[in-house]
PDB file of all heavy atoms in Angstrom:
ATOM      1  N   SER A 190     -51.968 -13.826 -19.607  1.00 77.00           N
ATOM      2  CA  SER A 190     -52.248 -15.057 -18.866  1.00 77.00           C
ATOM      3  C   SER A 190     -53.480 -14.874 -17.974  1.00 77.00           C
ATOM      4  O   SER A 190     -53.693 -13.813 -17.393  1.00 77.00           O
ATOM      5  CB  SER A 190     -51.046 -15.430 -18.002  1.00 77.00           C
ATOM      6  OG  SER A 190     -51.372 -16.479 -17.118  1.00 77.00           O
ATOM      7  N   ARG A 191     -54.278 -15.926 -17.872  1.00 78.00           N
ATOM      8  CA  ARG A 191     -55.442 -15.907 -16.992  1.00 78.00           C
ATOM      9  C   ARG A 191     -55.124 -16.527 -15.636  1.00 78.00           C
ATOM     10  O   ARG A 191     -56.020 -16.709 -14.807  1.00 78.00           O
ATOM     11  CB  ARG A 191     -56.605 -16.650 -17.653  1.00 78.00           C
ATOM     12  CG  ARG A 191     -57.065 -16.002 -18.949  1.00 78.00           C
ATOM     13  CD  ARG A 191     -58.164 -16.801 -19.625  1.00 78.00           C
ATOM     14  NE  ARG A 191     -59.364 -16.874 -18.804  1.00 78.00           N
ATOM     15  CZ  ARG A 191     -60.476 -17.504 -19.167  1.00 78.00           C
ATOM     16  NH1 ARG A 191     -60.528 -18.125 -20.340  1.00 78.00           N
ATOM     17  NH2 ARG A 191     -61.520 -17.535 -18.374  1.00 78.00           N
ATOM     18  N   HIS A 192     -53.861 -16.844 -15.404  1.00 83.00           N
ATOM     19  CA  HIS A 192     -53.471 -17.439 -14.123  1.00 83.00           C
ATOM     20  C   HIS A 192     -53.791 -16.472 -12.976  1.00 83.00           C
ATOM     21  O   HIS A 192     -53.459 -15.293 -13.018  1.00 83.00           O
ATOM     22  CB  HIS A 192     -51.979 -17.756 -14.124  1.00 83.00           C
ATOM     23  CG  HIS A 192     -51.491 -18.298 -12.815  1.00 83.00           C
ATOM     24  ND1 HIS A 192     -51.804 -19.565 -12.375  1.00 83.00           N
ATOM     25  CD2 HIS A 192     -50.732 -17.728 -11.828  1.00 83.00           C
ATOM     26  CE1 HIS A 192     -51.244 -19.766 -11.200  1.00 83.00           C
ATOM     27  NE2 HIS A 192     -50.588 -18.673 -10.843  1.00 83.00           N
ATOM     28  N   GLY A 193     -54.438 -16.989 -11.958  1.00 86.00           N
ATOM     29  CA  GLY A 193     -54.756 -16.172 -10.796  1.00 86.00           C
ATOM     30  C   GLY A 193     -55.952 -15.262 -10.987  1.00 86.00           C
ATOM     31  O   GLY A 193     -56.194 -14.382 -10.156  1.00 86.00           O
ATOM     32  N   ILE A 194     -56.722 -15.466 -12.062  1.00 92.00           N
ATOM     33  CA  ILE A 194     -57.865 -14.602 -12.375  1.00 92.00           C
ATOM     34  C   ILE A 194     -59.163 -15.390 -12.241  1.00 92.00           C
ATOM     35  O   ILE A 194     -59.278 -16.522 -12.714  1.00 92.00           O
ATOM     36  CB  ILE A 194     -57.752 -14.043 -13.809  1.00 92.00           C
ATOM     37  CG1 ILE A 194     -56.484 -13.194 -13.965  1.00 92.00           C
ATOM     38  CG2 ILE A 194     -58.994 -13.236 -14.172  1.00 92.00           C
ATOM     39  CD1 ILE A 194     -56.431 -11.990 -13.069  1.00 92.00           C
ATOM     40  N   LYS A 195     -60.143 -14.786 -11.614  1.00 93.00           N
ATOM     41  CA  LYS A 195     -61.481 -15.376 -11.504  1.00 93.00           C
ATOM     42  C   LYS A 195     -62.464 -14.471 -12.240  1.00 93.00           C
ATOM     43  O   LYS A 195     -62.482 -13.260 -12.030  1.00 93.00           O
ATOM     44  CB  LYS A 195     -61.874 -15.512 -10.040  1.00 93.00           C
ATOM     45  CG  LYS A 195     -63.285 -16.048  -9.814  1.00 93.00           C
ATOM     46  CD  LYS A 195     -63.553 -16.299  -8.345  1.00 93.00           C
ATOM     47  CE  LYS A 195     -63.542 -15.015  -7.536  1.00 93.00           C
ATOM     48  NZ  LYS A 195     -63.891 -15.241  -6.121  1.00 93.00           N
ATOM     49  N   ARG A 196     -63.289 -15.049 -13.116  1.00 95.00           N
ATOM     50  CA  ARG A 196     -64.262 -14.286 -13.900  1.00 95.00           C
ATOM     51  C   ARG A 196     -65.673 -14.840 -13.664  1.00 95.00           C
ATOM     52  O   ARG A 196     -65.935 -16.007 -13.908  1.00 95.00           O
ATOM     53  CB  ARG A 196     -63.916 -14.353 -15.394  1.00 95.00           C
ATOM     54  CG  ARG A 196     -64.882 -13.568 -16.296  1.00 95.00           C
ATOM     55  CD  ARG A 196     -64.497 -13.692 -17.760  1.00 95.00           C
ATOM     56  NE  ARG A 196     -63.327 -12.906 -18.090  1.00 95.00           N
ATOM     57  CZ  ARG A 196     -63.366 -11.677 -18.607  1.00 95.00           C
ATOM     58  NH1 ARG A 196     -64.533 -11.105 -18.847  1.00 95.00           N
ATOM     59  NH2 ARG A 196     -62.257 -11.035 -18.887  1.00 95.00           N
ATOM     60  N   ILE A 197     -66.549 -13.991 -13.189  1.00 96.00           N
ATOM     61  CA  ILE A 197     -67.972 -14.321 -13.053  1.00 96.00           C
ATOM     62  C   ILE A 197     -68.661 -13.751 -14.284  1.00 96.00           C
ATOM     63  O   ILE A 197     -68.657 -12.540 -14.502  1.00 96.00           O
ATOM     64  CB  ILE A 197     -68.560 -13.718 -11.767  1.00 96.00           C
ATOM     65  CG1 ILE A 197     -67.792 -14.221 -10.551  1.00 96.00           C
ATOM     66  CG2 ILE A 197     -70.044 -14.055 -11.654  1.00 96.00           C
ATOM     67  CD1 ILE A 197     -68.161 -13.515  -9.264  1.00 96.00           C
ATOM     68  N   GLN A 198     -69.266 -14.604 -15.090  1.00 96.00           N
ATOM     69  CA  GLN A 198     -69.745 -14.194 -16.402  1.00 96.00           C
ATOM     70  C   GLN A 198     -71.263 -14.034 -16.470  1.00 96.00           C
ATOM     71  O   GLN A 198     -72.004 -14.729 -15.785  1.00 96.00           O
ATOM     72  CB  GLN A 198     -69.318 -15.214 -17.460  1.00 96.00           C
ATOM     73  CG  GLN A 198     -67.813 -15.404 -17.569  1.00 96.00           C
ATOM     74  CD  GLN A 198     -67.415 -16.223 -18.771  1.00 96.00           C
ATOM     75  OE1 GLN A 198     -67.781 -15.897 -19.893  1.00 96.00           O
ATOM     76  NE2 GLN A 198     -66.667 -17.287 -18.553  1.00 96.00           N
ATOM     77  N   GLY A 199     -71.684 -13.075 -17.319  1.00 96.00           N
ATOM     78  CA  GLY A 199     -73.073 -12.960 -17.710  1.00 96.00           C
ATOM     79  C   GLY A 199     -74.021 -12.454 -16.650  1.00 96.00           C
ATOM     80  O   GLY A 199     -75.190 -12.852 -16.616  1.00 96.00           O
ATOM     81  N   VAL A 200     -73.547 -11.547 -15.774  1.00 97.00           N
ATOM     82  CA  VAL A 200     -74.415 -10.964 -14.751  1.00 97.00           C
ATOM     83  C   VAL A 200     -75.273  -9.877 -15.393  1.00 97.00           C
ATOM     84  O   VAL A 200     -74.755  -8.991 -16.080  1.00 97.00           O
ATOM     85  CB  VAL A 200     -73.583 -10.371 -13.600  1.00 97.00           C
ATOM     86  CG1 VAL A 200     -74.496  -9.759 -12.544  1.00 97.00           C
ATOM     87  CG2 VAL A 200     -72.669 -11.438 -13.001  1.00 97.00           C
ATOM     88  N   ALA A 201     -76.574  -9.916 -15.184  1.00 98.00           N
ATOM     89  CA  ALA A 201     -77.479  -8.933 -15.789  1.00 98.00           C
ATOM     90  C   ALA A 201     -77.454  -7.633 -14.987  1.00 98.00           C
ATOM     91  O   ALA A 201     -77.581  -7.655 -13.760  1.00 98.00           O
ATOM     92  CB  ALA A 201     -78.895  -9.486 -15.855  1.00 98.00           C
ATOM     93  N   TYR A 202     -77.311  -6.505 -15.684  1.00 98.00           N
ATOM     94  CA  TYR A 202     -77.393  -5.204 -15.014  1.00 98.00           C
ATOM     95  C   TYR A 202     -78.627  -4.417 -15.440  1.00 98.00           C
ATOM     96  O   TYR A 202     -78.925  -3.356 -14.880  1.00 98.00           O
ATOM     97  CB  TYR A 202     -76.123  -4.383 -15.254  1.00 98.00           C
ATOM     98  CG  TYR A 202     -75.896  -3.904 -16.673  1.00 98.00           C
ATOM     99  CD1 TYR A 202     -76.507  -2.755 -17.148  1.00 98.00           C
ATOM    100  CD2 TYR A 202     -75.041  -4.588 -17.529  1.00 98.00           C
ATOM    101  CE1 TYR A 202     -76.286  -2.301 -18.443  1.00 98.00           C
ATOM    102  CE2 TYR A 202     -74.818  -4.148 -18.824  1.00 98.00           C
ATOM    103  CZ  TYR A 202     -75.437  -3.003 -19.273  1.00 98.00           C
ATOM    104  OH  TYR A 202     -75.227  -2.554 -20.563  1.00 98.00           O
ATOM    105  N   ALA A 203     -79.365  -4.905 -16.437  1.00 96.00           N
ATOM    106  CA  ALA A 203     -80.607  -4.283 -16.906  1.00 96.00           C
ATOM    107  C   ALA A 203     -81.424  -5.359 -17.605  1.00 96.00           C
ATOM    108  O   ALA A 203     -81.069  -6.551 -17.593  1.00 96.00           O
ATOM    109  CB  ALA A 203     -80.316  -3.101 -17.822  1.00 96.00           C
ATOM    110  N   GLN A 204     -82.529  -4.958 -18.241  1.00 93.00           N
ATOM    111  CA  GLN A 204     -83.494  -5.912 -18.773  1.00 93.00           C
ATOM    112  C   GLN A 204     -83.325  -6.185 -20.273  1.00 93.00           C
ATOM    113  O   GLN A 204     -84.233  -6.718 -20.904  1.00 93.00           O
ATOM    114  CB  GLN A 204     -84.915  -5.383 -18.513  1.00 93.00           C
ATOM    115  CG  GLN A 204     -85.214  -5.127 -17.051  1.00 93.00           C
ATOM    116  CD  GLN A 204     -85.035  -6.358 -16.187  1.00 93.00           C
ATOM    117  OE1 GLN A 204     -85.515  -7.439 -16.534  1.00 93.00           O
ATOM    118  NE2 GLN A 204     -84.337  -6.208 -15.068  1.00 93.00           N
ATOM    119  N   GLY A 205     -82.194  -5.870 -20.847  1.00 90.00           N
ATOM    120  CA  GLY A 205     -82.017  -5.984 -22.286  1.00 90.00           C
ATOM    121  C   GLY A 205     -81.417  -7.287 -22.763  1.00 90.00           C
ATOM    122  O   GLY A 205     -80.861  -7.339 -23.869  1.00 90.00           O
ATOM    123  N   GLY A 206     -81.461  -8.339 -21.968  1.00 95.00           N
ATOM    124  CA  GLY A 206     -80.913  -9.621 -22.383  1.00 95.00           C
ATOM    125  C   GLY A 206     -79.397  -9.615 -22.408  1.00 95.00           C
ATOM    126  O   GLY A 206     -78.739  -8.924 -21.623  1.00 95.00           O
ATOM    127  N   GLU A 207     -78.822 -10.384 -23.331  1.00 96.00           N
ATOM    128  CA  GLU A 207     -77.375 -10.548 -23.401  1.00 96.00           C
ATOM    129  C   GLU A 207     -76.637  -9.222 -23.531  1.00 96.00           C
ATOM    130  O   GLU A 207     -75.540  -9.045 -23.003  1.00 96.00           O
ATOM    131  CB  GLU A 207     -77.030 -11.456 -24.586  1.00 96.00           C
ATOM    132  CG  GLU A 207     -75.533 -11.547 -24.933  1.00 96.00           C
ATOM    133  CD  GLU A 207     -74.680 -12.150 -23.826  1.00 96.00           C
ATOM    134  OE1 GLU A 207     -75.230 -12.823 -22.942  1.00 96.00           O
ATOM    135  OE2 GLU A 207     -73.452 -11.940 -23.857  1.00 96.00           O
ATOM    136  N   ARG A 208     -77.223  -8.253 -24.240  1.00 97.00           N
ATOM    137  CA  ARG A 208     -76.546  -6.971 -24.433  1.00 97.00           C
ATOM    138  C   ARG A 208     -76.488  -6.147 -23.158  1.00 97.00           C
ATOM    139  O   ARG A 208     -75.772  -5.150 -23.101  1.00 97.00           O
ATOM    140  CB  ARG A 208     -77.225  -6.155 -25.534  1.00 97.00           C
ATOM    141  CG  ARG A 208     -77.169  -6.742 -26.919  1.00 97.00           C
ATOM    142  CD  ARG A 208     -75.794  -7.249 -27.340  1.00 97.00           C
ATOM    143  NE  ARG A 208     -74.702  -6.326 -27.106  1.00 97.00           N
ATOM    144  CZ  ARG A 208     -73.426  -6.601 -27.364  1.00 97.00           C
ATOM    145  NH1 ARG A 208     -73.087  -7.774 -27.840  1.00 97.00           N
ATOM    146  NH2 ARG A 208     -72.489  -5.700 -27.131  1.00 97.00           N
ATOM    147  N   ASN A 209     -77.244  -6.529 -22.138  1.00 98.00           N
ATOM    148  CA  ASN A 209     -77.194  -5.834 -20.843  1.00 98.00           C
ATOM    149  C   ASN A 209     -76.639  -6.758 -19.765  1.00 98.00           C
ATOM    150  O   ASN A 209     -77.192  -6.887 -18.678  1.00 98.00           O
ATOM    151  CB  ASN A 209     -78.577  -5.334 -20.440  1.00 98.00           C
ATOM    152  CG  ASN A 209     -79.017  -4.099 -21.197  1.00 98.00           C
ATOM    153  OD1 ASN A 209     -80.208  -3.823 -21.298  1.00 98.00           O
ATOM    154  ND2 ASN A 209     -78.085  -3.331 -21.753  1.00 98.00           N
ATOM    155  N   THR A 210     -75.528  -7.416 -20.087  1.00 98.00           N
ATOM    156  CA  THR A 210     -74.840  -8.260 -19.122  1.00 98.00           C
ATOM    157  C   THR A 210     -73.408  -7.787 -18.948  1.00 98.00           C
ATOM    158  O   THR A 210     -72.869  -7.034 -19.764  1.00 98.00           O
ATOM    159  CB  THR A 210     -74.844  -9.733 -19.556  1.00 98.00           C
ATOM    160  OG1 THR A 210     -74.177  -9.861 -20.819  1.00 98.00           O
ATOM    161  CG2 THR A 210     -76.263 -10.274 -19.665  1.00 98.00           C
ATOM    162  N   LEU A 211     -72.787  -8.257 -17.883  1.00 98.00           N
ATOM    163  CA  LEU A 211     -71.406  -7.885 -17.587  1.00 98.00           C
ATOM    164  C   LEU A 211     -70.687  -9.050 -16.936  1.00 98.00           C
ATOM    165  O   LEU A 211     -71.305  -9.975 -16.410  1.00 98.00           O
ATOM    166  CB  LEU A 211     -71.368  -6.631 -16.697  1.00 98.00           C
ATOM    167  CG  LEU A 211     -72.161  -6.641 -15.378  1.00 98.00           C
ATOM    168  CD1 LEU A 211     -71.416  -7.357 -14.253  1.00 98.00           C
ATOM    169  CD2 LEU A 211     -72.484  -5.209 -14.952  1.00 98.00           C
ATOM    170  N   ASP A 212     -69.368  -9.017 -17.003  1.00 98.00           N
ATOM    171  CA  ASP A 212     -68.507  -9.961 -16.296  1.00 98.00           C
ATOM    172  C   ASP A 212     -67.807  -9.223 -15.161  1.00 98.00           C
ATOM    173  O   ASP A 212     -67.484  -8.028 -15.280  1.00 98.00           O
ATOM    174  CB  ASP A 212     -67.440 -10.542 -17.219  1.00 98.00           C
ATOM    175  CG  ASP A 212     -68.006 -11.451 -18.302  1.00 98.00           C
ATOM    176  OD1 ASP A 212     -69.215 -11.759 -18.250  1.00 98.00           O
ATOM    177  OD2 ASP A 212     -67.237 -11.828 -19.207  1.00 98.00           O
ATOM    178  N   ILE A 213     -67.544  -9.939 -14.086  1.00 97.00           N
ATOM    179  CA  ILE A 213     -66.794  -9.388 -12.954  1.00 97.00           C
ATOM    180  C   ILE A 213     -65.512 -10.193 -12.815  1.00 97.00           C
ATOM    181  O   ILE A 213     -65.549 -11.425 -12.694  1.00 97.00           O
ATOM    182  CB  ILE A 213     -67.625  -9.441 -11.664  1.00 97.00           C
ATOM    183  CG1 ILE A 213     -68.898  -8.595 -11.835  1.00 97.00           C
ATOM    184  CG2 ILE A 213     -66.809  -8.955 -10.475  1.00 97.00           C
ATOM    185  CD1 ILE A 213     -69.905  -8.774 -10.742  1.00 97.00           C
ATOM    186  N   ILE A 214     -64.385  -9.507 -12.863  1.00 97.00           N
ATOM    187  CA  ILE A 214     -63.077 -10.161 -12.855  1.00 97.00           C
ATOM    188  C   ILE A 214     -62.306  -9.725 -11.619  1.00 97.00           C
ATOM    189  O   ILE A 214     -62.130  -8.518 -11.372  1.00 97.00           O
ATOM    190  CB  ILE A 214     -62.275  -9.815 -14.130  1.00 97.00           C
ATOM    191  CG1 ILE A 214     -63.090 -10.143 -15.384  1.00 97.00           C
ATOM    192  CG2 ILE A 214     -60.945 -10.569 -14.156  1.00 97.00           C
ATOM    193  CD1 ILE A 214     -63.825  -8.966 -15.977  1.00 97.00           C
ATOM    194  N   THR A 215     -61.848 -10.687 -10.841  1.00 96.00           N
ATOM    195  CA  THR A 215     -61.067 -10.412  -9.639  1.00 96.00           C
ATOM    196  C   THR A 215     -59.904 -11.389  -9.567  1.00 96.00           C
ATOM    197  O   THR A 215     -59.827 -12.349 -10.333  1.00 96.00           O
ATOM    198  CB  THR A 215     -61.927 -10.560  -8.369  1.00 96.00           C
ATOM    199  OG1 THR A 215     -62.364 -11.918  -8.257  1.00 96.00           O
ATOM    200  CG2 THR A 215     -63.139  -9.640  -8.395  1.00 96.00           C
ATOM    201  N   SER A 216     -59.033 -11.160  -8.617  1.00 93.00           N
ATOM    202  CA  SER A 216     -57.976 -12.126  -8.346  1.00 93.00           C
ATOM    203  C   SER A 216     -58.568 -13.348  -7.672  1.00 93.00           C
ATOM    204  O   SER A 216     -59.451 -13.241  -6.828  1.00 93.00           O
ATOM    205  CB  SER A 216     -56.914 -11.492  -7.441  1.00 93.00           C
ATOM    206  OG  SER A 216     -56.001 -12.475  -6.990  1.00 93.00           O
ATOM    207  N   SER A 217     -58.086 -14.515  -8.033  1.00 89.00           N
ATOM    208  CA  SER A 217     -58.545 -15.747  -7.390  1.00 89.00           C
ATOM    209  C   SER A 217     -57.664 -16.144  -6.217  1.00 89.00           C
ATOM    210  O   SER A 217     -57.942 -17.120  -5.530  1.00 89.00           O
ATOM    211  CB  SER A 217     -58.564 -16.894  -8.409  1.00 89.00           C
ATOM    212  OG  SER A 217     -57.264 -17.114  -8.936  1.00 89.00           O
ATOM    213  N   ASP A 218     -56.616 -15.372  -5.970  1.00 82.00           N
ATOM    214  CA  ASP A 218     -55.634 -15.753  -4.959  1.00 82.00           C
ATOM    215  C   ASP A 218     -55.946 -15.236  -3.564  1.00 82.00           C
ATOM    216  O   ASP A 218     -55.482 -15.792  -2.577  1.00 82.00           O
ATOM    217  CB  ASP A 218     -54.243 -15.247  -5.360  1.00 82.00           C
ATOM    218  CG  ASP A 218     -53.752 -15.887  -6.644  1.00 82.00           C
ATOM    219  OD1 ASP A 218     -54.199 -17.004  -6.940  1.00 82.00           O
ATOM    220  OD2 ASP A 218     -52.942 -15.260  -7.347  1.00 82.00           O
ATOM    221  N   ALA A 219     -56.717 -14.154  -3.473  1.00 67.00           N
ATOM    222  CA  ALA A 219     -56.957 -13.562  -2.164  1.00 67.00           C
ATOM    223  C   ALA A 219     -58.310 -12.867  -2.160  1.00 67.00           C
ATOM    224  O   ALA A 219     -58.755 -12.363  -3.191  1.00 67.00           O
ATOM    225  CB  ALA A 219     -55.848 -12.556  -1.835  1.00 67.00           C
TER     226      ALA A 219
END
């Protein structure tokens, strides 16, 4: 279940385009 989950998508960590991206997943409740 994705209930209570927050996902920030497509953050760049290097210069390689889509292959150098990441998501950050945390709780959305606190």
Side-chain angles (χ1 to χ4, degrees):
S190 170
R191 298 177 63 179
H192 177 72
I194 299 299
K195 177 174 65 176
R196 180 181 286 264
I197 302 171
Q198 301 190 55
V200 180
Y202 68 83
Q204 302 302 313
E207 171 63 19
R208 295 313 312 178
N209 284 157
T210 60
L211 54 81
D212 292 352
I213 299 169
I214 306 97
T215 63
S216 170
S217 60
D218 296 334

